[in-house]
Amino acid sequence: MVVPPQKFITPRQDGTDSGGQGVSVWFPQGVTGPAPLVIFSHQQGGIQGAAWNNGAGWIKVLQHACNQEGWIFAASANHGADSWSSTNAQNDLTALYNYVNAIVPVSKTVLCGASMGGSVSAMALINNKVPNVKGLLTYDGAFNLAAMYANSYDLSINTGFGITPGTVSTGGAAAGATSIPLSISFPSGTNIRIGYGTANDETVTVTGTPTGAGPYTTPVTALTKAHAAAEKVSDYPDKTAGFDPVLQSSAAFPNIRYQLVSGVGDTTCVKATNTDALAAKITTSLEKTTPGHLGGHLSSVTDPTINIPFLRRCFA
Amino acid sequence: MGILDAPAADAYGRPLTGFNPVRDLPGIAAWYDASKVSNANGTAINQWADSSPKNRALIQSTGSKQPTVKTAGLGGLNTLSFGATALMIDSGFGADWGQPNTHPQPLSYVALVKASSTLIGAGTNRHIVAGNFGGSQSCTMLLISTNQNLVLNAGSYAAGQGGPALNDDAWHVVVGIFGPGSCTTMVDGYVTGGAITQTQGTWPMVQLAVGGNANGNFPFGGEIAEVIVCDAELSFAQAAKATEYLARKWSL
């Protein structure tokens, strides 16, 4: 057994990055660099550091252990509670890296995220938003944006991507119909998703200019399912195109190390549709594991006895 | 005195080169070391002697609740097997501890344990070091939670934010620190949970039981090699030293 050191006192340092986002950084005592950096992205509804204080919280477990190893640990506000994998949230990780690197030079980086933070970590990795990334570590990652949208996170994702929501209006629409009454007037050509969160979930395209004044009679490509009145509808497909980690090609994922921790009984970010689906996309890697945990969503999730050895391999 | 003249042992004859819990941990209050149990393999024991100067032996007079000796259980040293009903209690608690019925925080528990994956079903708390828990009495407890993580409880569940699932049939050094202004759990030297408030609650130690609570509930189910109780709030560094001591001694 290699017993890790317990020597660094690590007060949190708060600041503001070049994009105006609040950031929190924990530097190991006396670090001068170049030093490894772990960038953490928070969950939906989370914040960069204040909620963790200097002693509480499950992510504190990882932050403390990282600092003991001599690594820097940093987190951004990531444009708030509902940023998901949006361009803003991805760019926040670039700004956070630059913020830290200007204080202490960074040698290597690992992207780490929890739930919603997993989505931005994965997309920032794919889009090379942060230099010299050696690993991806996630906890109950929300990698399947479409599944999360159908699993009650639609309002949050609407906020993150500027999605316009509406409903099917009175009368609903039958399968095979080529027009549908909607509460929102979507422009011709818009891909719209109808009935998410129900068994009727499908995507169609607006084929002409809607008429009426609410409800709008909207011409669409033929429906394959019947829709009841009040079913949800939005321009989700167009607004999130290119931002859903599990819809990326396998070639997009770099040949690095991956540790994707997931709760075996997690009903929020269901393992099979999120973590397992992302893992299946990663076909070339130096290391890829999907350790399970027995707690619920983000409960009893951080385990330094496996996370720190993984990070050591990343930073070796 | 030159360095070559420095004594090899302290005033009590304990080597200065190694870690000695009695000397090097603050406020040692009890120390149960299975490697010092010399009974034959499989023997049920009714007493586990205290290796600290406090002489607070653990007792179990009911045969069906007694742990058994496992010779060469770990690193060539003897361990104790705690079955699904086994536990040991400091029956002299009170007089032993210099107070009538309770002993207040701060307290720290350090233990080397191996939780069986089969003896105790999932979804049940497993007490490693506890006391009289039930009825109107509650106490400080270091336990494996239903999520199989290490957790402190002295009125409320605390410091269980992370760490490995411990029902893995593997040996782990576990530490629980009950401070008046903080709480911490550590597994194998890593901090696995904590808070800067007394999140665990303010209940004191009420009796001392190992392998379950004093009422016979929430059995640990597995092997225990060593348990150290400190009448103090260990620092992270002290807890790491104790962990390293156990890891070396037991060849982990």
Side-chain angles (χ1 to χ4, degrees):
Chain A
M1 180 187 297
V2 177
V3 179
Q6 295 290 343
K7 56 185 179 182
F8 293 111
I9 300 168
T10 56
R12 192 184 77 236
Q13 296 184 25
D14 293 336
T16 304
D17 67 21
S18 59
Q21 294 298 298
V23 297
S24 295
V25 186
W26 290 258
F27 291 104
Q29 192 175 56
V31 67
T32 56
L37 167 65
V38 175
I39 289 180
F40 177 75
S41 295
H42 64 74
Q43 72 278 22
Q44 192 271 336
I47 194 168
Q48 73 274 22
W52 315 343
N53 209 322
N54 282 322
W58 49 269
I59 197 60
K60 176 72 180 172
V61 169
L62 183 70
Q63 171 262 312
H64 176 85
C66 285
N67 283 162
Q68 302 309 309
E69 300 288 329
W71 307 331
I72 305 164
F73 195 89
S76 167
N78 276 24
H79 272 79
D82 303 302
S83 52
W84 296 87
S85 51
S86 63
T87 299
N88 280 340
Q90 291 182 51
N91 289 340
D92 288 343
L93 302 190
T94 307
L96 176 60
Y97 174 90
N98 291 335
Y99 177 91
V100 174
N101 193 51
I103 300 171
V104 174
V106 174
S107 56
K108 302 172 182 176
T109 308
V110 165
L111 297 178
C112 175
S115 191
M116 179 184 83
S119 67
V120 65
S121 299
M123 291 310 304
L125 171 68
I126 289 169
N127 292 324
N128 294 311
K129 292 291 185 178
V130 175
N132 211 13
V133 175
K134 299 298 182 183
L136 176 67
L137 169 61
T138 58
Y139 302 106
D140 295 343
F143 302 122
N144 189 330
L145 210 57
M148 298 303 294
Y149 200 66
N151 190 15
S152 76
Y153 281 86
D154 54 331
L155 297 181
S156 173
I157 294 173
N158 286 347
T159 300
F161 290 96
I163 294 167
T164 302
T167 57
V168 179
S169 293
T170 305
T178 55
S179 71
I180 186 169
L182 300 178
S183 64
I184 294 292
S185 176
F186 292 105
S188 179
T190 304
N191 296 302
I192 58 174
R193 188 174 173 185
I194 310 170
Y196 44 89
T198 75
N200 302 329
D201 195 346
E202 68 173 323
T203 294
V204 295
T205 303
V206 176
T207 57
T209 302
T211 58
Y216 300 91
T217 299
T218 304
V220 295
T221 52
L223 301 173
T224 62
K225 299 174 181 177
H227 295 278
E231 279 188 10
K232 295 176 182 177
V233 60
S234 77
D235 54 353
Y236 168 92
D238 287 345
K239 293 292 179 62
T240 62
F243 294 96
D244 195 335
V246 299
L247 297 182
Q248 307 306 303
S249 72
S250 291
F253 291 90
N255 183 22
I256 59 170
R257 298 180 189 276
Y258 298 86
Q259 188 174 73
L260 313 174
V261 180
S262 183
V264 294
D266 188 348
T267 56
T268 301
C269 291
V270 177
K271 184 173 186 289
T273 52
N274 286 276
T275 292
D276 291 348
L278 189 81
K281 282 284 182 179
I282 302 166
T283 54
T284 303
S285 64
L286 297 175
E287 172 183 349
K288 180 182 70 173
T289 58
T290 57
H293 69 87
L294 299 175
H297 186 62
L298 296 182
S299 173
S300 305
V301 67
T302 41
D303 181 0
T305 68
I306 61 169
N307 302 149
I308 294 300
F310 166 76
L311 292 169
R312 285 180 189 147
R313 293 191 292 275
C314 292
F315 293 139
Chain B
M1 185 167 58
I3 191 168
L4 294 177
D5 302 319
D10 64 16
Y12 300 94
R14 300 170 298 208
L16 287 174
T17 51
F19 182 88
N20 186 296
V22 173
R23 181 190 59 212
D24 298 327
L25 289 179
I28 191 160
W31 178 15
Y32 306 106
D33 181 355
S35 73
K36 295 183 178 178
V37 177
S38 58
N39 303 60
N41 187 50
T43 304
I45 64 166
N46 59 13
Q47 178 169 318
W48 194 1
D50 181 3
S51 295
S52 85
K54 303 293 186 181
N55 196 28
R56 292 163 172 163
L58 297 175
I59 303 294
Q60 181 52 266
S61 56
T62 304
S64 61
K65 295 183 178 179
Q66 291 170 348
T68 59
V69 177
K70 184 175 182 180
T71 55
L74 176 63
L77 304 176
N78 292 355
T79 60
L80 293 182
S81 293
F82 283 73
T85 60
L87 78 155
M88 302 207 81
I89 306 168
D90 178 5
S91 59
F93 192 87
D96 265 3
W97 290 76
Q99 297 187 35
N101 291 307
T102 64
H103 194 76
Q105 302 179 40
L107 291 162
S108 298
Y109 300 151
V110 181
L112 175 57
V113 300
K114 181 171 82 169
S116 165
S117 62
T118 55
L119 266 178
I120 306 295
T124 304
N125 287 330
R126 309 166 71 157
H127 289 190
I128 301 169
V129 182
N132 190 333
F133 172 63
S136 59
Q137 290 276 42
S138 293
C139 59
T140 49
M141 295 174 277
L142 179 65
L143 64 138
I144 300 173
S145 76
T146 55
N147 287 340
Q148 308 302 329
N149 301 104
L150 187 67
V151 173
L152 291 175
N153 189 324
S156 60
Y157 287 101
Q161 293 96 347
L166 293 174
N167 62 335
D168 60 353
D169 294 309
W171 287 95
H172 295 282
V173 179
V174 296
V175 178
I177 303 170
F178 301 78
S182 68
C183 59
T184 304
T185 56
M186 296 176 73
V187 176
D188 297 338
Y190 291 99
V191 173
T192 55
I196 56 169
T197 58
Q198 198 172 17
T199 311
Q200 76 276 19
T202 59
W203 287 341
M205 180 192 291
V206 184
Q207 290 194 306
L208 173 62
V210 170
N213 69 40
N215 302 317
N217 299 319
F218 304 112
F220 167 68
E223 292 179 55
I224 299 178
E226 199 156 340
V227 175
I228 300 170
V229 178
C230 290
D231 200 5
E233 181 179 359
L234 296 185
S235 68
F236 288 174
Q238 288 166 332
K241 284 287 188 187
T243 299
E244 189 169 8
Y245 155 74
L246 290 173
R248 288 187 179 187
K249 173 179 176 179
W250 294 87
S251 303
L252 290 173

